[in-house]
Amino acid sequence: MNILKLGLPKGSLQEPTFDLLKKAGYRIRLGERSYIPSIDDSEIECLLIRAQEMGNYVADGVLDTGITGRDWIMEYESDVVEICSLLYARGGFVPVRWVVAVPENSDITEISQLRGKRIATELVNYSRRYFEERGVHAKFEFSWGATEVKPPKLADAIVDVTVTGSSLAANNLRIIETILESTTVLVMNKKASENPRKREKVENIALLLQGALNAEFKVGLKMNLHISKLEEIASLLPSLHNPTISHMKDENWLALEVVIDESRARELIPVLKKAGAEGIIEFPLNKVIY
Amino acid sequence: MNILKLGLPKGSLQEPTFDLLKKAGYRIRLGERSYIPSIDDSEIECLLIRAQEMGNYVADGVLDTGITGRDWIMEYESDVVEICSLLYARGGFVPVRWVVAVPENSDITEISQLRGKRIATELVNYSRRYFEERGVHAKFEFSWGATEVKPPKLADAIVDVTVTGSSLAANNLRIIETILESTTVLVMNKKASENPRKREKVENIALLLQGALNAEFKVGLKMNLHISKLEEIASLLPSLHNPTISHMKDENWLALEVVIDESRARELIPVLKKAGAEGIIEFPLNKVIY
Amino acid sequence: MNILKLGLPKGSLQEPTFDLLKKAGYRIRLGERSYIPSIDDSEIECLLIRAQEMGNYVADGVLDTGITGRDWIMEYESDVVEICSLLYARGGFVPVRWVVAVPENSDITEISQLRGKRIATELVNYSRRYFEERGVHAKFEFSWGATEVKPPKLADAIVDVTVTGSSLAANNLRIIETILESTTVLVMNKKASENPRKREKVENIALLLQGALNAEFKVGLKMNLHISKLEEIASLLPSLHNPTISHMKDENWLALEVVIDESRARELIPVLKKAGAEGIIEFPLNKVIY
Amino acid sequence: MNILKLGLPKGSLQEPTFDLLKKAGYRIRLGERSYIPSIDDSEIECLLIRAQEMGNYVADGVLDTGITGRDWIMEYESDVVEICSLLYARGGFVPVRWVVAVPENSDITEISQLRGKRIATELVNYSRRYFEERGVHAKFEFSWGATEVKPPKLADAIVDVTVTGSSLAANNLRIIETILESTTVLVMNKKASENPRKREKVENIALLLQGALNAEFKVGLKMNLHISKLEEIASLLPSLHNPTISHMKDENWLALEVVIDESRARELIPVLKKAGAEGIIEFPLNKVIY
Amino acid sequence: MNILKLGLPKGSLQEPTFDLLKKAGYRIRLGERSYIPSIDDSEIECLLIRAQEMGNYVADGVLDTGITGRDWIMEYESDVVEICSLLYARGGFVPVRWVVAVPENSDITEISQLRGKRIATELVNYSRRYFEERGVHAKFEFSWGATEVKPPKLADAIVDVTVTGSSLAANNLRIIETILESTTVLVMNKKASENPRKREKVENIALLLQGALNAEFKVGLKMNLHISKLEEIASLLPSLHNPTISHMKDENWLALEVVIDESRARELIPVLKKAGAEGIIEFPLNKVIY
Amino acid sequence: MNILKLGLPKGSLQEPTFDLLKKAGYRIRLGERSYIPSIDDSEIECLLIRAQEMGNYVADGVLDTGITGRDWIMEYESDVVEICSLLYARGGFVPVRWVVAVPENSDITEISQLRGKRIATELVNYSRRYFEERGVHAKFEFSWGATEVKPPKLADAIVDVTVTGSSLAANNLRIIETILESTTVLVMNKKASENPRKREKVENIALLLQGALNAEFKVGLKMNLHISKLEEIASLLPSLHNPTISHMKDENWLALEVVIDESRARELIPVLKKAGAEGIIEFPLNKVIY
């Protein structure tokens, strides 16, 4: 197989992407001020590229595959194949939202009122398309950042990215509409995706990345129980998980093991203890693949 | 159920408390300069409060429950219910000590010699009670910190908190008596503790926090062994732990699994290896609940 | 047994050594600006010592045992017993190399051309011996560091330590020969090594350190499978690993567990999934002892 | 003369006070974690003390003189002699204000409405006196800091220190009254102030500190002008400043020199240039003593 | 007069611009995360804006005047009035250069060879105009930064900004042509510039900013000399500087004062001393206005 | 003239040396991780070298001149010409001292008692000569730093560098003798010093460096006074300073200007004010050349 050229996103997605790749099993090293990370897989060559530029370099074939935000793929209408979506973004393990926001004390409550107004945004193309599909023509101006401080002097409204909305609120802006929810995506060049070996390689990377993402929210749980309590305790466990059963040295005892959502563990542990489970231990996971 | 109002300690206990809550399964986020952490449990509302002030806010019912040092509960004689003690403090997983210290070259060797002297401390009330119960009247002065630099010019003695005593020694002070050992405690408002649902909720939190604390000092241990060595190797394991036994593909071999103290693992592993255990692995735990 | 005096290397090896000891199960604390770390084993006393000085302090019996680089042992020809080699160094889990380097544009391609030249190095003795055993007499000058900037003005060549060679390349130097590959070693005083209890203690430390190093590159893998697929899936697993087999509540299903190289997990997981393994989880390990 | 014991304020006033003393001509050095700064005047001994504690240590004679905030002198009614006020504080070269603040959406608009309410503050005594002199009895509670986050849950109102009010506004608090404006002061022990040599020494320190403070806002200005323009240009200069006049080598030219407010320089320089002044230079000053 | 709306450049020019304004006599304060700096001149309102966006906001009249790089004015062909150029930029008190660079080992030596090639740059419009005026059509691609790492994979050549060229060299790029030298400029809205009071205000700001820039490279020099040496020593001083002459208490001595280039002081001082000047002092200047 | 090769000291002397050169009028820039600082004098080439190595490189002619500590010149008995001494060192504008120190509780009070003992030091050669000239033979061991923690386990005494002695005291060491006081020196290669142009160049650098050092402790002082007070006020000024006298616009007033020690200004200003001086200003100096 030829080398697979993989683009990694420089900027706010860089650190979470590197962390995720590490959990997926790749050791990546980036020299100071370098743009060519090394990776411990001789079939892959990495390049660090701005998330905004990723889609076009993948579409052009300069890269075979890349990790970036779906928002930038849509902004530049990059002609690529989406292999999978990865639920993490700048703000954690949740999507980011691109929203239309206006000054808190403005009368504007829907985008049709923005007809003819100045709207500052880093997402000029997508925003214009979204507005025009709804029959609203406005003046979209590219903003180099700090977009949230522009209204009301430098813009009538903005289209900006947010997770919790708190930075918008702190600048006295009110959200009137969400025009795009975006997560990270793994995309692939069209022609490269028709090469079976490259395609399989990228799908395996996707499998490992998703396995690592799943593990962020899962834990393993083991407990000991008297053989007489098996049915009762098994019935408390999430129905989809068929627990593993081991024997203990004392033959009247069994050990049960399941994988559950970390957020369920808080509720389940006291209940299991009350039902007679003993020696309950919770242990961390690296990857979970369904 | 009404919302449970939980106080978290601001200051030196803040970071270890947040870490422990995370291990217990709670995701807490604190905005910069905010005092209202968010928590991913819709039945709980958090408030960040100085450890010194916690007891009274819980006693008054402003908070239902709170995490603070037992020293501050005793200083202010806060009328609260102690749900459990949690063995961690400023200095790690050990209690802190409040000690009486005097200049190294002073003649004083016991507290009775401090009668009438000036004593600087952040723990004025408890210290005065402790001295007076022993018939020693002295002049206790509140100190805003850096107490250890006050003798001999600004005080004759101090009552200060310490873990290893090294900061006292560095200031040429000699410890003459320990008047209080203190760990972190989870306390509850009296009236709230009579509400069964709130009480159960707090006890479940206690169970998870203690489970996370236990895991700090425990590890899982697995090993493979020939079936003929089961009795010998099982006898080496801590008697209270009934090991889990699994089969291996080769039917003459078994796999044993136990949870042991991390500090025992160091000694046990060489012994187990010598007794014929193979492929010994040690793995980390998130929580251990007896 | 008398106390075992253990030297820990100050400088670039300090942080990886403390990390490794922690994984091996020792809790070490180092006060700011202190040179006497505390350790939670009452039979051990630690001392923080420059790696360069370690060998002689162990040889002299000031220390019973110490962790340092093999390079410094060879430089000073310290008369010590090497208990084991530990595959980590300044640059990660790989050996460092001491190399002879000359200016990129020099005509020199082998060390015999350095006869009579000035060679700057921190490793004067070993380098001189190496050259003289090959019949090359040169003028070796001790360098206090920043050796790589000395040629061509202050030296004709250097002997310097490197992992990737990039710092040498950045200073326009060309490597012409590797004269020493070095990893970290655990060494022991000769006389102390004849004391059976001290010797056993040190060998147990070695066992735990190597167990922790092994775990850097290993993970645990579990998966569920239909009983009919046992042979096929077992055949995919590394042949030396006899997997552990547990039953599941649904009797037609089994759970398999193995320990494998982390770098293999990337390839194996997609293959196992394709072969019918379900609910594959990967979990981290603290120690692996063969 | 005996040594003059001078207290310097630890905390937010520390850095501006050290800067000012340096400009006044004193070289002060403070070892890390030390509380006894050295000073290059053999007649002075310094001690670093919390601003809150300064007044009483000066009143008691532990210190002869000290620099602190007037607020803390008034809080503790320390019986000291105020030598001079120094116009700087935590927020720059302006006074700080202690204000009464209530939740933005509260109905309270004047302090009489706070009768019987809970008021949190670090300035308990002064606040209580201020309120009681106006016939308002309320419950004042000492706050360990972060006072601005206490209303409405933990207090009905607060008395807090502010410069711009922005931190209060950010916590949704509304100022209803200023109860104290405070600057830094140089205070002296009563008895020490009757010792003529000590008194003179402290007054000289005051003169130098005020000279350094004055220089913060003054600059020197020099310019060359044709002899024929002397009257016109002199008339443009601030009337109180009798300019210094020097000759130039060309006898038809004069050089004028004045000291002016830095904030005036911005306006004056263009005007002077228009009036024919040439080679205008502005130079910095260390001290200005009227 | 109406308020003058002044734009200050966010980004790499921000810190040197704030420093320069401070030397010019303006006290500017910028709250954390704010974009509206306060200034101690009630006739001015500041706004922090990306240097790239400044020109258009000034041209549109959103701002009356602004400080930015001339490069961005030319890139966007902003229709503004240039009040003065200010000789400082990202790299110190020198212009920056926008250069065409190609891989070191490429055959390209002049821009005509770039016909049809891919050129990455942040300065797309200006670059395209420059090339097309010289009859060279190429494919200019906007680069979001880190432009210097793009050749040869992602671009055939780049147009990038540089001071010393070292970052280009470090990325193995060779400069083939400089297409723009740029310094900072103070620009004004056309219509605002016809308002006499606004125009005068901006010109006065320009005068003070240039006065502060001049002072970066000038020092004052004073010396004492015997009256007999006046002619000789005066002849050594730069001819344009007519020295100020003062008398000394001893009537046979004079004091001379001049302002000279700091870089001349190094050479002049030894010469003046040799010629008999005594008590030579050099003093710093805040502003120098010719 | 050939280029003058100037060595600058890397390490603790680096920052104060660069500061001093800047005050002397040289603009030096050092790229990150570079060892070849650029200087704005085309006749000088700089090289950054460890202070310990400087003497020999100057003696060998690799460098024409260099700035280092006199201690290292004496340690290595470098055969160089000392051009001037510069009163600054690691600890400020005072010499450093090399002292012999022993454990606080040792019986040793003079160096003769160290006969045959182990002495750890970075200054092995000088120390041995010093001891042997006094008839004391001891075992000197080179120490890589942190020398002060070696006694009593690793050494019986040390020879270490100190300014205030506080680090020694903190390690429970007692100074028994000072064996060397050292300041920074400007040294020159013997042969280069016979080249008149190089010699003059280096002497001019020395003049400027000393001028800048002098200015650290000097300030300018100006004041206005009524003509009737000239004699009285002039008599208060340091006798060696013949003040400059200028007229004021009001002919009954004079302006006096002198340069004095900064440390004298503190005392003189109150006295001058009392004697009738008005409008006293103090201004900073860059250089003072006698």
Side-chain angles (χ1 to χ4, degrees), chain B residues 220-251:
Chain B
L221 210 61
K222 295 189 189 181
M223 68 210 77
N224 303 333
L225 51 141
H226 192 271
I227 208 160
S228 63
K229 293 186 178 151
L230 176 59
E231 289 311 317
E232 181 190 350
I233 288 180
S235 73
L236 294 170
L237 298 175
S239 58
L240 293 177
H241 295 84
N242 191 351
T244 304
I245 301 178
S246 304
H247 293 278
M248 304 196 73
K249 196 139 179 304
D250 174 337
E251 291 176 6

Side-chain angles (χ1 to χ4, degrees), chain D residues 44-195:
Chain D
I44 303 180
E45 249 179 44
C46 296
L47 200 60
L48 203 55
I49 289 281
R50 291 283 301 223
Q52 290 94 329
E53 300 175 315
M54 186 72 72
N56 286 338
Y57 285 126
V58 172
D60 291 356
V62 174
L63 299 168
D64 293 315
T65 184
I67 295 173
T68 186
R70 185 182 286 125
D71 38 14
W72 300 116
I73 298 295
M74 300 191 78
E75 170 67 2
Y76 296 109
E77 298 183 282
S78 308
D79 190 20
V80 296
V81 179
E82 182 176 318
I83 298 299
C84 73
S85 128
L86 297 163
L87 189 44
Y88 73 100
R90 275 150 272 198
F93 301 102
V94 290
V96 293
R97 289 184 300 144
W98 287 87
V99 299
V100 184
V102 295
E104 221 166 51
N105 57 10
S106 132
D107 293 333
I108 295 171
T109 57
E110 49 182 49
I111 66 167
S112 63
Q113 294 169 280
L114 288 169
R115 190 161 285 123
K117 302 284 186 186
R118 285 173 312 157
I119 304 179
T121 182
E122 286 185 77
L123 200 72
V124 165
N125 300 323
Y126 177 85
S127 300
R128 183 183 292 122
R129 288 200 309 276
Y130 182 93
F131 272 64
E132 298 197 343
E133 284 164 11
R134 282 151 189 80
V136 182
H137 295 271
K139 189 174 163 208
F140 287 90
E141 293 177 351
F142 179 70
S143 166
W144 288 76
T147 309
E148 71 276 19
V149 305
K150 295 195 168 163
K153 286 203 181 168
L154 308 181
D156 299 306
I158 63 172
V159 174
D160 205 4
V161 69
T162 189
V163 176
T164 62
S166 64
S167 168
L168 294 172
N171 282 283
N172 298 312
L173 297 175
R174 178 167 36 84
I175 295 175
I176 60 168
E177 186 157 341
T178 296
I179 70 167
L180 178 59
E181 281 207 357
S182 174
T183 67
T184 302
V185 288
L186 178 65
V187 295
M188 198 169 179
N189 174 269
K190 278 209 163 155
K191 203 169 147 206
S193 78
E194 287 157 12
N195 172 332

Side-chain angles (χ1 to χ4, degrees), chain E residues 222 247-248 250 280 282, chain F residues 242 245 257 286-287 289:
Chain E
K222 295 189 190 184
H247 293 277
M248 303 197 74
D250 174 339
I280 304 171
E282 185 196 301
Chain F
N242 190 351
I245 300 177
E257 178 173 340
N286 286 344
K287 296 198 189 82
I289 289 142

Side-chain angles (χ1 to χ4, degrees), chain C residues 2 15 20 31 41 43 46 48 68-69 84 86 109 123 137 142 144 191 200 210 215 222 248 258 262:
Chain C
N2 291 332
E15 198 186 316
L20 188 61
D41 181 328
E43 293 179 339
C46 296
L48 204 55
T68 186
C84 72
L86 296 164
T109 58
L123 200 72
H137 295 269
F142 179 71
W144 287 76
K191 205 170 145 206
E200 188 190 8
Q210 286 182 311
K222 295 188 189 182
M248 304 198 72
V258 286
E262 187 180 10

Side-chain angles (χ1 to χ4, degrees), chain E residues 67-216:
Chain E
I67 294 172
T68 186
R70 186 182 285 126
D71 37 13
W72 301 116
I73 297 295
M74 300 189 79
E75 170 67 2
Y76 296 109
E77 299 184 280
S78 307
D79 190 20
V80 296
V81 180
E82 183 177 316
I83 298 299
C84 72
S85 128
L86 297 163
L87 188 46
Y88 73 100
R90 275 149 274 196
F93 300 101
V94 290
V96 294
R97 289 183 301 143
W98 287 87
V99 300
V100 185
V102 295
E104 221 167 53
N105 56 10
S106 133
D107 293 334
I108 295 171
T109 57
E110 49 182 52
I111 67 167
S112 63
Q113 293 168 279
L114 289 169
R115 190 162 286 125
K117 302 286 188 186
R118 284 172 315 156
I119 304 179
T121 181
E122 285 185 78
L123 201 72
V124 164
N125 298 322
Y126 177 84
S127 301
R128 183 182 292 120
R129 288 201 308 275
Y130 182 92
F131 273 62
E132 298 198 341
E133 283 164 11
R134 282 151 188 82
V136 181
H137 295 271
K139 188 174 163 208
F140 288 90
E141 294 178 350
F142 179 72
S143 166
W144 288 78
T147 310
E148 71 274 18
V149 306
K150 295 198 166 160
K153 285 204 181 166
L154 307 181
D156 299 306
I158 65 172
V159 174
D160 205 4
V161 69
T162 189
V163 177
T164 61
S166 63
S167 167
L168 295 172
N171 282 283
N172 298 314
L173 297 175
R174 178 166 38 82
I175 296 174
I176 60 169
E177 185 157 341
T178 294
I179 71 169
L180 179 59
E181 281 207 357
S182 175
T183 67
T184 302
V185 288
L186 177 66
V187 296
M188 198 169 178
N189 174 269
K190 279 207 162 154
K191 203 169 146 206
S193 78
E194 287 158 13
N195 173 332
R197 294 210 44 204
K198 284 198 175 177
R199 178 70 180 235
E200 190 191 6
K201 179 95 188 176
V202 175
E203 284 182 344
N204 285 349
I205 293 170
L207 186 75
L208 295 166
L209 289 172
Q210 287 182 309
L213 269 178
N214 291 337
E216 285 289 328

